[in-house]
Amino acid sequence: MAHHVLYTPLTEEAVRGLQLEDTVTIQGTIFGIRDATQIRIFDQGIAPPADLTGGVCLHTAPGVRKLAEGRYEKLSIGTTTSTRMDRFVPGLLEQYGVRAVVGKGGLLAGSVAAMQRFGGVYLAIVGGAAALATMQIEEIEQVWWEDLMPECLWKFRVKDFGPLIVAIDAHGNNLYQQVKDRAAAKLEDLLA
Amino acid sequence: MRMRAFYEAVEEAARELYLRALKDIPADVRAALQRGLDAEKRDGNASAEQVMFTILENVRTADAQDTLVCQDTGLPVFKAVIGEDLMINGGELKRRLRRGCERATKEYPLRSNTVHPVTRKHTGTNTGDGIPVVKIEFREGSSALYLCAAPKGSGSENMSFLKMLNPSEGLQGVKRYVLECVLESGAKPCPPVIVGVGLGGTSDVAMALAKEASCFRKIGTRNADPVIAELEAWLLDRINRTGLGPQGLGGATTALAVHVEWAHTHISHNPVAVNMQCWRGERAEAVINGAGEVRFL
Ligand code: SF4
């Protein structure tokens, strides 16, 4: 496993060069999205007001404090379970050019296939490690769709965001599934 | 007059315990996380070591910044153990615990998670009908109130299971079911987890015992019944041999501990309940005497 420092926006080449279990830190900007954000994009068919091409999307609903119109201070920014938002991932990649999804818990087979097809990766962040993530997010740069608070579309400026672990690569491999399959195969032996 | 000071102390303590539980994870959990990191190092599993290191780094960051360990402020759950020599009004106790949660939410401010189960409308206060959850117990020969706050996050609480096994499935059935629950949970409860198991009772009692086991028992404690203590050790060994590992990404540390609590049950019952607690293992305790003096533990 190798370590990579990636600068946003990500290129297809950079993403395809990542192998399962490699570690990544991100420099630049990332987007924060959650259930309501993606329901608006895909179920209500409203295109996101920001260009997500080459983007990194973090599954989050941040805890923030309002400073002024459209300006927010970070309080606690953590990560939520990705599987709940699995159905939106192929669309993010195909229609909006997203290259990486950051979350916890992994994604299902359809998203794994989409990552292989369009050139995307799933980067596992340590679930619950919000104190650290909040430090690595330097500033909330922009926010759209404030009516969905806290599930708006967020843009964060990050420094040394990670280390993240490549848990689904762009070649059809899914680390969570591999680990689960190995565990399931052991079950009868463990009970014997 | 004396009792007014007591109830005010309860409200203050509830507010403080809710915040402390979210910011400062208990010493027994920290030690177990460190043992997890050491184990992954010994195994030479680089990803798992990285995850355990990040978890501990996160705990240190929360200490240094005096901030929340994890963003999920949970649903507030309290255990209140009332000394049998302490004469108090149970209704007022519950109102003060609730008030403490509301104040913590507003004053800190904490993200509120409490919604109506059908309309999904937010209360905005982290309290509501039946919330905070308050578990009341009594202790003989005591004249103090013990409070423990364990605000439960959703990732781990969603991994809750109950099965009314057939008595003929016996202990083997229990073992199989617990392992299946761990596999089914996978990465979702933020492993390494504390696995709480409730055996016996009625269905609701089994669930409550599982919660007691996952959230209120300290790591390193063993059940007083040797048969149950042996089951705890067996389950911990097997769960860690599944190889699911920290965050479900593979490794030797899937569980930090397995705690089993039990009650007698019906001849035709064999209830087994499982409740997961995530690595943050949030818990904060205090004792309040009748004069309203608070001692945080
Ligand atoms: S499962 Fe626990 S550690 Fe993970 S996000 Fe939820 S509250 Fe935080």
Side-chain angles (χ1 to χ4, degrees):
Chain A
M1 36 174 280
H3 181 71
H4 309 258
V5 179
L6 299 182
Y7 295 81
T8 60
L10 309 185
T11 62
E12 177 167 2
E13 193 194 351
V15 160
R16 291 219 184 259
L18 300 172
Q19 306 296 328
L20 226 50
E21 290 195 68
D22 281 358
T23 52
V24 170
T25 44
I26 293 174
Q27 312 284 15
T29 55
I30 64 173
F31 294 97
I33 56 172
R34 210 173 194 253
D35 306 64
T37 337
Q38 299 179 85
I39 286 170
R40 179 160 293 178
I41 298 174
F42 295 104
D43 295 351
Q44 297 164 12
I46 303 174
D51 182 8
L52 305 183
T53 312
V56 176
C57 289
L58 172 69
H59 284 153
T60 186
V64 294
R65 186 187 284 129
K66 189 164 183 165
L67 297 174
E69 219 27 69
R71 284 192 50 232
Y72 293 87
E73 176 194 10
K74 58 180 183 173
L75 288 177
S76 181
I77 306 182
T79 310
T80 190
T81 304
S82 300
T83 10
R84 228 179 37 237
M85 292 167 275
D86 175 75
R87 69 183 174 101
F88 303 120
V89 170
L92 284 176
L93 271 64
E94 183 177 9
Q95 294 173 46
Y96 298 107
V98 168
R99 290 278 173 220
V101 174
V102 182
K104 70 170 183 112
L107 297 169
L108 308 177
S111 295
V112 177
M115 291 195 154
Q116 182 171 20
R117 176 144 174 241
F118 303 110
V121 286
Y122 180 84
L123 304 172
I125 193 167
V126 174
L132 211 55
T134 307
M135 287 267 292
Q136 295 166 348
I137 290 174
E138 289 191 309
E139 210 189 344
I140 299 175
E141 272 199 355
Q142 231 175 321
V143 55
W144 298 269
W145 295 344
E146 282 171 77
D147 59 309
L148 299 179
M149 189 66 62
E151 301 186 39
C152 324
L153 176 62
W154 299 90
K155 190 176 184 184
F156 306 124
R157 193 175 67 241
V158 298
K159 186 160 186 282
D160 303 327
F161 190 72
L164 309 167
I165 296 175
V166 179
I168 299 170
D169 66 14
H171 312 285
N173 301 307
N174 179 354
L175 182 58
Y176 294 100
Q177 197 58 47
Q178 292 179 2
V179 169
K180 260 195 154 173
D181 289 348
R182 281 200 293 268
K186 274 189 216 158
L187 184 62
E188 296 308 322
D189 278 349
L190 292 174
L191 282 165
Chain B
M1 212 46 215
R2 209 185 90 146
M3 278 333 263
R4 197 166 101 202
F6 173 80
Y7 293 117
E8 272 164 17
V10 169
E11 180 179 318
E12 272 306 315
R15 174 189 176 281
E16 181 65 22
L17 289 174
Y18 189 3
L19 294 175
R20 276 188 193 215
L22 295 172
K23 288 179 174 182
D24 181 7
I25 73 169
D28 56 302
V29 178
R30 289 174 190 243
L33 289 169
Q34 184 61 48
R35 285 196 295 276
L37 172 62
D38 297 343
E40 301 299 353
K41 250 190 211 153
R42 262 198 313 278
D43 273 19
N45 185 331
S47 305
E49 182 185 336
Q50 178 71 256
V51 172
M52 292 309 300
F53 179 82
T54 305
I55 286 175
L56 281 157
E57 187 67 14
N58 184 74
V59 171
R60 283 189 287 270
T61 305
D63 289 341
Q65 307 278 321
D66 188 27
T67 177
L68 307 186
V69 171
C70 167
Q71 79 288 349
D72 191 344
T73 50
L75 280 183
V77 180
F78 288 97
K79 178 170 161 177
V81 184
I82 304 171
E84 290 186 10
D85 301 329
L86 179 69
M87 293 300 141
I88 59 166
N89 175 341
E92 185 65 6
L93 170 67
K94 283 181 125 180
R95 278 189 290 277
R96 294 293 187 149
L97 291 175
R98 180 185 173 116
R99 186 79 196 105
C101 294
E102 291 171 352
R103 282 185 44 210
T105 303
K106 189 152 178 242
E107 292 164 19
Y108 183 72
L110 294 176
R111 182 181 97 182
S112 178
N113 307 303
T114 315
V115 296
H116 185 282
V118 175
T119 64
R120 309 307 293 181
K121 199 170 168 295
H122 280 268
T123 64
T125 56
N126 272 323
T127 64
D129 275 28
I131 307 291
V133 177
V134 182
K135 301 167 55 130
I136 293 183
E137 290 175 17
F138 301 93
R139 184 171 295 150
E140 226 180 309
S142 159
S143 57
L145 169 71
Y146 163 89
L147 283 179
C148 183
K152 195 72 176 5
S154 69
S156 57
E157 185 67 7
N158 277 337
M159 295 302 109
S160 299
F161 308 86
L162 171 72
K163 196 164 181 191
M164 303 303 276
L165 295 177
N166 192 320
S168 71
E169 291 175 87
L171 182 60
Q172 191 63 10
V174 169
K175 290 174 171 176
R176 174 178 292 276
Y177 185 63
V178 175
L179 288 185
E180 284 171 355
C181 291
V182 170
L183 290 191
E184 159 88 27
S185 301
K188 283 180 280 207
C190 283
V193 287
I194 302 166
V195 182
V197 180
L199 296 181
T202 47
S203 58
D204 53 328
V205 167
M207 248 5 280
L209 290 168
K211 176 61 70 58
E212 171 71 25
S214 65
C215 292
F216 294 106
R217 268 206 28 211
K218 289 195 169 75
I219 297 177
T221 58
R222 302 180 61 190
N223 195 291
D225 182 332
V227 176
I228 301 291
E230 198 187 318
L231 176 63
E232 291 177 339
W234 188 94
L235 284 169
L236 180 62
D237 173 71
R238 296 310 194 280
I239 288 169
N240 282 335
R241 276 159 56 186
T242 60
L244 284 174
Q247 298 290 303
L249 294 168
T253 320
T254 305
L256 299 173
V258 178
H259 298 147
V260 182
E261 292 292 313
W262 65 276
H264 283 102
T265 193
H266 192 285
I267 41 172
S268 317
H269 285 346
N270 185 10
V272 47
V274 177
N275 180 260
M276 300 290 176
Q277 172 63 302
C278 41
W279 63 257
R280 130 178 119 157
E282 67 281 351
R283 199 192 318 120
E285 314 163 274
V287 174
I288 306 171
N289 68 17
E293 287 159 351
V294 184
R295 189 162 52 88
F296 290 97
L297 303 178

